[in-house]
Amino acid sequence: SAFIRDFRCKMVMTIPVELIYHRDFAIIQNVFGEAEVLPMIKVKDKSGKPYKPGIECLTEILNRRLELSLFENRCYLDAIKYSGGAIRELFRIVQRAALIEKSDDKITKTSMQKSIDHHKNIFASRVQEHGGDSGVKFEDYLDVLFDIYDGNKIAPKKTPALLDLLQTLAVMKFNGEGFYDTHPLLDNFIKAYKEKNRKNGK
């Protein structure tokens, strides 16, 4: 930190979002002060309805990288929906769909769906395999995901499980209105475990 502070200039420093939610973030905070989380681009509102301005914004970002005519039946909208508003996730989904695609002309809806399914599995694995050092149990993650998914989007309990899920983007925070939401790639995962718990009488 001393090396950075020796620069005689003004600067804006960015750090990975997971550091903001790390239990040792106070070490950074004590040296550099407060950090602001850059907001995700909202693709749905608190009630779960599509948020048109956010979708249009991500469409424009995507269009600056490649021609939208390369997508069959505007299937890029599927990628935007399941990105959750995270630009990196959007490009990961599109990139994998392009790698899957056999055609040289277009990215088809079939390839896009295969890419989305692949990333759903990745996100499910993040929840199932995360933990360890923090001592958080899988059931604790499910409790947080169920709570937010069922509508507690403003004030979920600030637990180690929530912090872990924020680190992995399984839960996303949106500035402005200040609400939390589960990542859309986890919708099927959450529904499946809710149904499993219902059958087990939980």
Side-chain angles (χ1 to χ4, degrees):
S1 62
F3 175 78
I4 295 173
R5 287 188 300 174
D6 279 345
F7 283 111
R8 301 297 182 194
C9 63
K10 294 179 180 179
M11 66 177 78
V12 175
M13 292 180 291
T14 61
I15 59 175
V17 68
E18 55 265 25
L19 289 183
I20 300 289
Y21 299 114
H22 194 278
R23 64 178 72 81
D24 293 330
F25 175 66
I27 296 170
I28 298 173
Q29 196 174 31
N30 289 340
V31 176
F32 296 108
E34 295 296 326
E36 293 292 331
V37 178
L38 296 176
M40 295 295 171
I41 298 173
K42 190 166 59 176
V43 294
K44 60 181 180 177
D45 60 23
K46 282 186 286 188
S47 65
K49 294 178 181 176
Y51 184 69
K52 189 176 178 181
I55 294 170
E56 290 175 348
C57 178
L58 284 172
T59 300
E60 176 60 25
I61 290 170
L62 191 59
N63 192 35
R64 286 174 182 244
R65 292 287 187 95
L66 68 169
E67 295 291 333
L68 297 182
S69 60
L70 292 171
F71 295 91
E72 176 188 77
N73 296 329
R74 304 203 317 161
C75 63
Y76 61 85
L77 292 173
D78 297 331
I80 288 172
K81 173 185 175 182
Y82 283 101
S83 73
I87 295 173
R88 286 182 183 176
E89 206 60 50
L90 169 62
F91 282 107
R92 285 191 187 106
I93 292 170
V94 170
Q95 182 182 38
R96 185 165 189 88
L99 291 172
I100 292 169
E101 190 54 62
K102 300 285 192 287
S103 167
D104 292 332
D105 299 325
K106 287 185 181 292
I107 296 174
T108 63
K109 286 185 75 71
T110 300
S111 295
M112 186 64 75
Q113 189 57 54
K114 286 179 180 178
S115 176
I116 290 167
D117 290 342
H118 170 80
H119 285 85
K120 284 181 179 180
N121 290 332
I122 289 175
F123 266 72
S125 296
R126 286 181 190 174
V127 175
Q128 291 167 325
E129 297 169 9
H130 205 65
D133 294 340
S134 63
V136 180
K137 298 177 181 177
F138 177 59
E139 290 74 19
D140 298 328
Y141 294 133
L142 289 181
D143 288 342
V144 173
L145 292 171
F146 291 166
D147 184 41
I148 295 172
Y149 186 82
D150 288 340
N152 184 14
K153 298 181 186 295
I154 301 298
K157 289 182 181 177
K158 304 296 192 295
T159 63
L162 174 62
L163 296 181
D164 279 354
L165 292 170
L166 285 164
Q167 282 184 341
T168 61
L169 290 184
V171 170
M172 308 172 84
K173 186 176 181 184
F174 296 88
N175 294 359
E177 296 173 76
F179 71 94
Y180 296 80
D181 208 347
T182 55
H183 200 290
L185 286 169
L186 282 173
D187 284 355
N188 291 347
F189 172 86
I190 294 169
K191 289 175 185 176
Y193 272 96
K194 282 173 69 69
E195 179 62 17
K196 183 179 179 181
N197 283 0
R198 187 189 66 79
K199 288 181 178 178
N200 292 336
K202 294 182 180 179

